[in-house]
């Protein structure tokens, strides 16, 4: 005897699990405001003839710490969605804190405490910023999509 519950077609199931395109717009619009200070900084430094110094600015680490914290909040919202899995949440948060947040704070501390930032530190700071920006975008898209699906 077959189950009386109607089955969803593969196409219906795939569409239900797809990320809402509007969520990507939310992530993109928020990232615009994350990079806005760097556009202004680039314009000011360019006007002063010092554009080459932009990667040595502590703002990279400051913004990385901020968006890393926001990423944690967005990630929790996306993961909780309609159901919560305590172990998965704890593992994800632990990983984010250990591998993202603490290195961001450490880099920020070093950048703010030295007189001259080395090329290695500037490169590391920029790399961490790029990783955090990408993860923030992904977390924002997931969070927005989860919010729309719960409505």
């Amino acid at each position: 005897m077959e189950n009386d519950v109607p089955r969803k077609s593969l196409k219906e199931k795939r569409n239900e699990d797809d990320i809402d395109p509007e969520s990507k717009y939310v992530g993109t619009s928020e990232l615009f405001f994350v990079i806005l200070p760097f556009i202004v900084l680039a314009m000011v430094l360019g006007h002063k003839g010092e554009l080459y110094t932009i990667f040595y600015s502590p703002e990279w680490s400051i913004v990385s710490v901020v968006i890393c914290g926001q990423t944690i909040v967005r990630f929790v919202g996306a993961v909780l969605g309609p159901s919560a899995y305590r172990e998965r949440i704890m593992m994800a948060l632990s990983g984010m804190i250990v591998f993202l947040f603490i290195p961001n704070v450490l880099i920020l501390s070093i950048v703010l405490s030295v007189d001259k930032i080395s090329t290695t530190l500037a490169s590391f700071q920029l790399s961490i910023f790029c990783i955090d920006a990408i993860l923030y975008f992904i977390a924002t898209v997931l969070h927005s999509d989860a919010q729309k699906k719960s409505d």
Side-chain angles (χ1 to χ4, degrees):
M1 193 161 140
E2 287 192 34
N3 192 346
D4 292 336
V5 178
R7 289 185 159 175
K8 293 182 179 181
S9 71
L10 184 58
K11 183 177 180 182
E12 289 174 326
K13 184 167 177 54
R14 184 174 54 240
N15 288 341
E16 192 176 279
D17 293 336
D18 287 346
I19 291 178
D20 179 24
E22 296 294 319
S23 298
K24 294 177 185 174
Y25 296 134
V26 171
T28 303
S29 66
E30 290 192 18
L31 268 181
F32 285 158
F33 287 99
V34 168
I35 64 169
L36 177 62
F38 298 106
I39 294 170
V40 172
L41 182 62
M43 293 169 79
V44 170
L45 291 174
H47 175 72
K48 293 169 61 177
E50 299 174 359
L51 184 59
Y52 63 92
T53 65
I54 193 167
F55 299 118
Y56 296 88
S57 173
E59 281 81 0
W60 293 103
S61 292
I62 292 168
V63 174
S64 286
V65 169
V66 171
I67 65 173
C68 185
Q70 290 175 336
T71 300
I72 292 169
V73 171
R74 299 291 184 161
F75 184 78
V76 169
V79 170
L80 289 177
S83 63
Y85 299 99
R86 184 176 170 84
E87 293 78 15
R88 291 180 187 180
I89 294 169
M90 294 308 296
M91 183 187 71
L93 282 175
S94 298
M96 292 168 103
I97 291 168
V98 170
F99 297 110
L100 295 174
F101 193 74
I102 299 302
N104 276 324
V105 173
L106 182 59
I107 291 170
L108 175 59
S109 300
I110 294 169
V111 166
L112 292 174
S113 67
V114 298
D115 292 331
K116 183 179 178 191
I117 299 173
S118 69
T119 303
T120 303
L121 184 58
S123 300
F124 196 72
Q125 166 176 263
L126 185 61
S127 297
I128 288 284
F129 172 80
C130 291
I131 291 166
D132 285 341
I134 290 166
L135 291 174
Y136 177 72
F137 174 77
I138 292 168
T140 300
V141 168
L142 292 173
H143 179 265
S144 179
D145 187 59
Q147 291 295 322
K148 289 184 188 282
K149 286 181 181 176
S150 68
D151 293 338

